[in-house]
Amino acid sequence: MSTTSKGAGPAASGAAPMVRAEAVHKSFGAAHILKGIDLEVAPREVFCLIGPSGSGKSTFLRCVNHLEQISAGRLWVDGALIGYREHGGRLHELRDREVAAKRRDIGMVFQRFNLFPHLTAIENVMEGPVQVRRESKAVARERAARLLDRVGLADKAANYPSQLSGGQQQRVAIARALAMEPKLMLFDEPTSALDPELVGDVLDVMRGLAEDGMTMIVVTHEMGFAREVGDALVFMDDGRVVESGHPRDVLSRPQHERTKAFLSKVL
């Protein structure tokens, strides 16, 4: 199963997918979490994943950047296999250093902000480029300042995480992910840990990224965001893709009974 972008968007124009999952399975011991996920995400697409807790959404997201190793199937990002190389028709697992190099192109924003508490906002944003990409502190600081301004926190550059609200910390986390100049951004329920009044500022930043053409996979319970900003939406349940399509179609006219039951409780 795959989904396509709206109108004459990237997928419709025949662009190669940014993300492609083919029969992806993931098990933790006897627990079978992902049960054959097939989907494609086009370049510049905002791809939303919804579903009940435990349906496998976050696990799939972690597989995309190889934080979790898939048990079967294949995953590609920008045409390159994630976690493996293929030789002679067989898959060979990449070394940790090779996996880390590929992961640099994939930004991830978690439910919890995971900022370094001993670093200021701007130092948190600088850390990746300086430590991983070996950029000079001057270059990294200049980019970090621009990114903090982009997420509306230019005046908080010198603040430590403990001096920031949850919403502000999450926006710093987004800026930190962007500092590595990723080709793909993954968001794992980025507003679920926030007080309701702080959600809007984070979603506004994500809307801005979408308008700038960033390819994004967003695990979310924010159905309004999915409807307004999303290009494609997948409803997952019990480790499977149950229904997919344009967000407005799936949310307004779900076809599958399981989708209908879920949406009746969250809309």
Side-chain angles (χ1 to χ4, degrees):
M1 179 180 298
S2 65
T3 59
T4 56
S5 182
K6 59 189 175 185
S13 66
M18 176 62 74
V19 178
R20 179 182 169 204
E22 183 180 279
V24 170
H25 290 255
K26 174 62 183 176
S27 296
F28 294 99
H32 198 179
I33 306 302
L34 300 178
K35 303 173 181 177
I37 301 296
D38 294 298
L39 56 80
E40 292 184 358
V41 181
R44 303 175 65 86
E45 190 169 57
V46 179
F47 190 98
C48 297
L49 290 174
I50 66 169
S53 297
S55 60
K57 308 181 302 296
S58 294
T59 297
F60 175 74
L61 210 63
R62 292 172 65 85
C63 288
V64 171
N65 66 354
H66 208 61
L67 287 175
E68 298 290 353
Q69 183 177 351
I70 63 176
S71 304
R74 299 189 184 192
L75 259 172
W76 293 265
V77 172
D78 201 20
L81 279 170
I82 290 298
Y84 301 90
R85 59 182 173 83
E86 188 170 5
H87 181 71
R90 300 184 64 181
L91 294 180
H92 303 269
E93 190 166 4
L94 297 177
R95 297 183 180 90
D96 289 345
R97 185 165 55 184
E98 295 172 301
V99 171
K102 289 180 178 292
R103 194 178 287 143
R104 293 174 197 169
D105 292 330
I106 305 172
M108 188 159 184
V109 178
F110 300 87
Q111 296 179 38
R112 294 292 176 179
F113 327 120
N114 298 330
L115 298 179
F116 297 112
H118 63 290
L119 299 180
T120 63
I122 198 166
E123 289 168 344
N124 265 281
V125 179
M126 292 169 57
E127 187 73 0
V130 170
Q131 298 298 327
V132 178
R133 294 171 58 166
R134 303 302 180 189
E135 285 187 357
S136 71
K137 287 189 176 182
V139 170
R141 182 175 293 274
E142 182 180 349
R143 181 190 297 111
R146 291 199 309 269
L147 288 170
L148 287 176
D149 183 55
R150 182 177 184 179
V151 300
L153 293 174
D155 61 332
K156 302 294 184 182
N159 288 52
Y160 289 90
S162 62
Q163 299 170 314
L164 301 173
S165 70
Q168 289 169 337
Q169 289 185 61
Q170 191 63 293
R171 283 185 279 158
V172 173
I174 294 173
R176 180 178 62 181
L178 292 173
M180 295 296 287
E181 300 183 322
K183 62 180 70 171
L184 170 68
M185 284 284 286
L186 309 176
F187 292 88
D188 187 6
E189 299 188 24
T191 60
S192 64
L194 303 181
D195 293 333
E197 66 268 21
L198 303 177
V199 168
D201 289 339
V202 173
L203 293 181
D204 284 345
V205 170
M206 295 171 65
R207 286 188 184 92
L209 292 178
E211 291 169 1
D212 290 344
M214 174 63 73
T215 309
M216 301 158 62
I217 305 179
V218 184
V219 173
T220 186
H221 292 297
E222 300 290 341
M223 300 302 161
F225 175 86
R227 181 185 289 110
E228 297 163 20
V229 183
D231 298 297
L233 181 143
V234 154
F235 169 68
M236 288 180 62
D237 187 43
D238 192 29
R240 296 182 174 91
V241 172
V242 175
E243 189 164 343
S244 66
H246 190 279
R248 292 194 182 108
D249 294 336
V250 176
L251 296 175
S252 301
R253 297 182 296 278
Q255 302 300 305
H256 197 282
E257 290 303 318
R258 182 65 188 93
T259 317
K260 293 177 183 177
F262 173 77
L263 291 176
S264 71
K265 296 176 181 178
V266 299
L267 291 177

